[in-house]
Amino acid sequence: MGNISAPTAPVRVPVAHHGRTVSGLVPWPKMSQLELGPLPTAASCARLHARNVLGEWGLPRDTIADAEVCASEIITNALRATLALADPEPIGLRLLAGPGRLVIEAWDCHPGEPARRLADAHEGHETGRGLTVIEAYSHQWGVHRLSQHVKIVWCELLLPTRI
């Protein structure tokens, strides 16, 4: 299996701005990254990682709760995308916090773009609501391609206090 780890030298990533990624770089005071195998437990691991890391960073409990939901949904989408591949690849979660905002990213190697769709109540299970949930809990979200084979789906939550 390949490795889709995010670049680690200096902690600088594209800035999310009005639903798109712009070319400017901004240093992030807080960053955590986790690579997850393409396993059914990935979403619960992402949720637990977000809860623990954001708690260490001193974020408010309600913000942590919202971030847990977003991390779980965004990783679930990445997991479903990678499991659709003939050879599923690892997926990644990255948390970035700076003045007034928290960005949650999920990395996967599926070439397709995520699409928001309405869940079919007649399907008998709860699927198709991931991006709708992310949209409801976050300030904005979007997709950024690192390469033809690696995409990042991200969402941004506004923070009530500076970190």
Side-chain angles (χ1 to χ4, degrees):
M1 285 190 198
N3 185 341
I4 62 165
S5 295
T8 56
V11 182
R12 294 175 180 264
V13 295
V15 179
H17 179 69
H18 300 296
R20 295 189 306 204
T21 301
V22 296
S23 59
L25 296 176
V26 168
W28 291 91
K30 306 280 186 185
M31 184 193 87
S32 178
Q33 186 171 299
L34 178 67
E35 185 174 289
L36 298 158
L39 302 169
T41 55
S44 61
C45 289
R47 180 184 287 270
L48 183 60
H49 183 75
R51 178 186 314 143
N52 289 333
V53 168
L54 300 179
E56 288 177 4
W57 292 353
L59 297 184
R61 287 184 185 187
D62 57 336
T63 300
I64 293 172
D66 290 353
E68 283 183 71
V69 171
C70 290
S72 179
E73 292 295 338
I74 208 166
I75 285 294
T76 296
N77 288 348
L79 178 63
R80 285 192 178 130
T82 202
L83 290 177
L85 299 171
D87 187 21
E89 297 279 339
I91 56 177
L93 173 71
R94 186 159 62 169
L95 307 171
L96 303 154
R101 61 194 218 149
L102 168 68
V103 175
I104 302 167
E105 298 177 338
W107 304 64
D108 71 66
C109 290
H110 191 279
E113 297 294 321
R116 186 166 53 96
R117 66 182 178 97
L118 297 174
D120 184 352
H122 303 291
E123 288 180 7
H125 51 84
E126 293 187 21
T127 61
R129 295 188 181 102
L131 291 178
T132 302
V133 170
I134 291 166
E135 197 171 70
Y137 277 81
S138 67
H139 172 66
Q140 59 182 347
W141 71 275
V143 180
H144 173 70
R145 266 225 186 262
L146 270 184
S147 70
Q148 182 180 0
H149 302 289
V150 178
K151 76 172 172 282
I152 303 168
V153 178
W154 58 268
C155 66
E156 177 185 81
L157 285 75
L158 299 179
L159 299 177
T161 59
R162 297 177 62 90
I163 40 175

